[in-house]
């Protein structure tokens, strides 16, 4: 019964979670929220993470009711992500692994999302749509790899929405994507005509629903194509944008037409969190993987298909 | 160079091994060295200029490692 603690901090969330055999024992998280119109910069984000990481670690252990001695493996995000925040989290993971005499395990962030989604939804072999602020990928498993079937050729879908939110100064609390979703709900009327000027006033909610509908339709289309390629009857949506209900609804319509099943998780697990790193780490650790300290460097670029999946048939 | 004393060599080695993996290889070979001698961690370079550019982030990283040690216990004996 391995117990794995997972450290995640590749973007503006810092989370530490503990998993024991598929059970989430704790999963505290903090978000670095910037003022409207401002994105999060690497050094400020790292400073935020440094300030709270030890408190979050304490919470993770307390909520799980565990002592360091009960932990079997320390997993952390190796990449991809922003360099300075990744280093911050890796430093603490390396130090506690040495203090507690436990093996260390570097985890690919995207694999963390996939394994957490599979654990929570019990989807067996789904076509995965991974959508977040930094990533947009359609992924399917084949022969010891999560293969990327399609991906964005420039910015991630979440980045697209975040940047738009920044331009028109939508609040970043709790997240720009959530606020866009709420505003877009009210704006369906303007879909046909996103350019909306009324006297001296402008309306943006119509543009937001227009943006949402357009980018989400694109994602549904590439997911459907990947399903057809693989003969897959399951879709799993992971990543921060994955908790958008409109995206889930649109994907659900496509799945229904194909007689396929849709799986998605709520914001506890689809937004970056520590338990997802613990869960992927748990699978990796059980299949015999560990990361030596000298190999524990972080990397800003780390593709999903670089990882050999040693824990699946 | 910068020298940081630790209570014991074991803690100095932990700090060394936590701080070492991410040190960026610079073009033209290794420009900075992180070493432990006894219970002292030293950070040095051939030119002071090289240390000056990265002193802020080095100290940030070092103090996070020290805080982690303080809060999460004395090292287990091997």
């Amino acid at each position: 019964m391995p117990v794995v603690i997972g450290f995640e901090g590749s973007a503006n969330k810092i989370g530490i979670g503990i998993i024991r055999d598929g059970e989430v024992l704790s999963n505290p998280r903090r978000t670095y929220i910037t003022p409207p119109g401002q994105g999060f910069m690497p050094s400020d984000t790292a400073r935020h993470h440094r300030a709270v990481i030890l408190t979050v670690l304490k919470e993770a252990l307390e909520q799980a009711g565990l002592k360091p001695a009960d932990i079997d493996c320390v997993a952390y995000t190796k990449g991809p992500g922003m360099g300075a925040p990744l280093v911050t989290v890796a430093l603490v993971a390396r130090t506690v692994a040495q203090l507690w005499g436990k093996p260390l395990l570097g985890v690919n962030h995207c694999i963390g999302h996939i394994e957490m989604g599979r654990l929570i939804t019990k989807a067996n072999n789904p076509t995965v749509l991974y959508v977040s602020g930094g990533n947009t990928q359609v992924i399917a498993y084949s022969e010891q790899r999560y293969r990327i079937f399609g991906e964005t050729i420039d910015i991630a879908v979440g980045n697209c929405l975040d940047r738009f939110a920044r331009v028109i100064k939508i609040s970043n609390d709790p997240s720009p994507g959530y606020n866009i979703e709420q505003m877009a709900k009210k704006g369906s009327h303007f879909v046909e005509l996103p350019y909306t000027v009324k006297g001296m006033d402008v309306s943006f909610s119509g543009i937001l629903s227009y943006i949402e509908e357009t980018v989400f339709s694109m994602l549904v289309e590439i997911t459907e194509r990947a399903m057809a390629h693989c003969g897959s009857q399951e879709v799993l949506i992971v990543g921060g944008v994955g908790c958008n209900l409109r995206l889930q609804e649109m994907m659900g319509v496509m799945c229904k037409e194909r007689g396929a099943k849709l799986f998605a998780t709520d914001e506890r697990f689809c937004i970056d969190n520590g338990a997802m790193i613990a869960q992927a780490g748990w699978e990796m650790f059980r299949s015999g993987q560990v990361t030596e300290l000298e190999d524990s460097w972080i990397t800003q670029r780390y593709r999903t298909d670089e990882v050999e999946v040693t824990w699946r048939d | 160079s910068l020298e940081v004393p630790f209570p014991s060599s074991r803690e100095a080695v932990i700090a060394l091994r936590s701080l070492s993996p991410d040190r960026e290889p610079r073009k033209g070979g290794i420009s900075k060295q992180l070493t432990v001698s006894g219970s002292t961690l030293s950070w040095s370079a051939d030119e002071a200029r090289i240390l000056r550019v990265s002193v802020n982030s080095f100290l940030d990283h070092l103090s996070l490692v020290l805080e982690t040690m303080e809060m999460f216990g004395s090292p287990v004996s091997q």
Side-chain angles (χ1 to χ4, degrees):
Chain A
M1 298 225 310
V3 177
V4 180
I5 188 165
F7 289 73
E8 156 61 31
S10 59
N12 68 335
K13 285 101 187 163
I14 167 96
I16 301 174
I18 301 178
I19 292 245
R20 178 174 55 207
D21 300 330
E23 189 191 347
V24 181
L25 300 181
S26 62
N27 199 16
R29 171 172 64 198
R30 298 282 192 286
T31 305
Y32 172 51
I33 292 172
T34 48
Q38 284 179 32
F40 50 96
M41 304 303 281
S43 62
D44 301 332
T45 309
R47 190 176 308 125
H48 167 266
H49 290 3
R50 277 201 303 276
V52 299
I53 186 168
L54 296 177
T55 311
V56 178
L57 175 52
K58 224 174 173 178
E59 276 177 27
L61 288 166
E62 276 169 11
Q63 287 169 18
L66 294 180
K67 293 186 295 296
D70 303 320
I71 307 281
D72 294 299
C73 175
V74 177
Y76 70 98
T77 306
K78 185 176 179 65
M82 285 183 166
L86 281 170
V87 170
T88 300
V89 172
L91 281 171
V92 174
R94 285 178 201 131
T95 305
V96 296
Q98 293 184 81
L99 289 170
W100 302 341
K102 308 295 179 186
L104 193 64
L105 192 45
V107 173
N108 178 297
H109 178 85
C110 318
I111 303 274
H113 275 298
I114 297 170
E115 294 306 337
M116 198 67 204
R118 288 181 64 222
L119 170 71
I120 297 295
T121 65
K122 309 282 177 234
N124 177 41
N125 184 25
T127 301
V128 180
L129 176 66
Y130 169 32
V131 275
S132 70
N135 293 279
T136 307
Q137 296 179 342
V138 181
I139 300 157
Y141 176 77
S142 164
E143 294 179 2
Q144 267 52 62
R145 297 275 163 181
Y146 283 112
R147 317 250 169 204
I148 301 172
F149 265 71
E151 62 191 314
T152 175
I153 52 172
D154 42 53
I155 63 171
V157 57
N159 190 233
C160 171
L161 298 173
D162 291 354
R163 283 195 196 185
F164 193 81
R166 233 175 284 156
V167 169
I168 65 172
K169 297 219 166 36
I170 289 176
S171 165
N172 291 324
D173 187 8
S175 73
Y178 177 82
N179 292 323
I180 287 179
E181 185 179 359
Q182 302 317 309
M183 292 173 76
K185 277 182 187 164
K186 302 171 197 151
S188 57
H189 182 64
F190 294 115
V191 166
E192 298 286 329
L193 193 65
Y195 189 86
T196 313
V197 178
K198 295 182 174 186
M200 288 299 288
D201 300 323
V202 284
S203 165
F204 289 115
S205 57
I207 293 178
L208 289 177
S209 40
Y210 182 78
I211 288 179
E212 268 198 344
E213 294 291 314
T214 309
V215 299
F216 292 167
S217 303
M218 289 156 66
L219 296 173
V220 171
E221 182 186 330
I222 57 170
T223 306
E224 184 172 18
R225 196 170 302 149
M227 291 171 76
H229 262 291
C230 308
S232 167
Q233 288 295 89
E234 290 178 337
V235 176
L236 170 65
I237 309 180
V238 299
V241 183
C243 57
N244 187 300
L245 296 177
R246 180 62 189 144
L247 173 60
Q248 292 182 13
E249 190 183 321
M250 289 167 71
M251 194 67 82
V253 171
M254 182 273 284
C255 285
K256 206 171 170 194
E257 283 170 5
R258 298 183 64 89
K261 255 183 112 171
L262 172 65
F263 299 91
T265 58
D266 62 35
E267 74 285 346
R268 286 171 302 165
F269 301 115
C270 71
I271 294 176
D272 292 351
N273 62 92
M276 66 184 233
I277 300 303
Q279 174 60 16
W282 185 86
E283 295 277 13
M284 292 168 78
F285 184 63
R286 284 208 342 155
S287 71
Q289 294 196 43
V290 288
T291 306
E292 297 303 327
L293 270 165
E294 50 272 33
D295 301 325
S296 68
W297 35 270
I298 60 92
T299 170
Q300 300 192 44
R301 300 186 186 281
Y302 190 12
R303 283 176 65 82
T304 312
D305 53 12
E306 280 177 50
V307 179
E308 189 185 357
V309 179
T310 50
W311 56 95
R312 284 186 66 174
D313 295 331
Chain B
S1 79
L2 185 79
E3 300 207 333
V4 186
F6 279 82
S8 75
S9 69
R10 182 162 165 73
E11 277 139 320
V13 169
I14 289 179
L16 173 77
R17 299 181 70 188
S18 288
L19 291 164
S20 292
D22 289 317
R23 286 188 311 133
E24 74 284 18
R26 285 172 65 122
K27 16 185 191 325
I30 298 160
S31 57
K32 285 172 284 184
Q33 298 93 37
L34 197 59
T35 51
V36 162
S37 155
S39 57
T40 305
L41 178 77
S42 26
W43 189 54
S44 58
D46 299 336
E47 291 172 63
R49 178 183 57 87
I50 295 168
L51 294 185
R52 216 177 292 131
V53 246
S54 48
V55 67
N56 276 338
S57 73
F58 178 77
L59 292 179
D60 283 342
H61 294 170
L62 178 67
S63 71
L64 181 60
V65 168
L66 294 176
E67 275 176 62
T68 307
M69 286 180 172
E70 223 164 83
M71 217 160 147
F72 291 93
S74 49
V76 291
S77 49
Q78 281 187 322

